[in-house]
């Protein structure tokens, strides 16, 4: 059940949130909001794959 929720969130993230790796964002220059989005995407992806 938990894994299905995270897989759904991963699909939503892919459609809604920006991909900073495609934009080649420098993490040293990222704003706090951008870092929060990166962290959220990482958290969801990690839990969807477990």
């Amino acid at each position: 059940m938990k894994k299905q929720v995270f897989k759904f969130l991963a699909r939503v993230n892919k459609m809604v949130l920006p991909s900073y790796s495609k934009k080649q964002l420098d993490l040293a220059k990222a704003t706090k909001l951008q870092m929060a989005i990166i962290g959220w995407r990482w958290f969801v992806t990690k839990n969807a794959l477990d």
Side-chain angles (χ1 to χ4, degrees), residues 29-41:
K29 296 178 182 176
T31 65
K32 288 185 180 187
L33 178 62
Q34 290 170 329
M35 292 299 286
I37 292 172
I38 291 167
W40 172 251
R41 289 185 71 147

Side-chain angles (χ1 to χ4, degrees):
M1 173 78 180
K2 178 182 170 185
K3 189 172 184 177
Q4 291 173 343
V5 171
F6 280 107
K7 283 190 176 205
F8 173 75
L9 282 174
R11 278 190 246 123
V12 172
N13 283 349
K14 189 173 184 177
M15 291 185 289
V16 176
L17 296 177
S19 175
Y20 292 121
S21 61
K22 289 181 183 176
K23 295 179 182 179
Q24 297 181 348
L25 175 72
D26 184 12
L27 291 178
K29 296 178 182 176
T31 65
K32 288 185 180 187
L33 178 62
Q34 290 170 329
M35 292 299 286
I37 292 172
I38 291 167
W40 172 251
R41 289 185 71 147
W42 171 82
F43 174 74
V44 169
T45 301
K46 178 183 161 286
N47 285 302
L49 294 175
D50 282 341

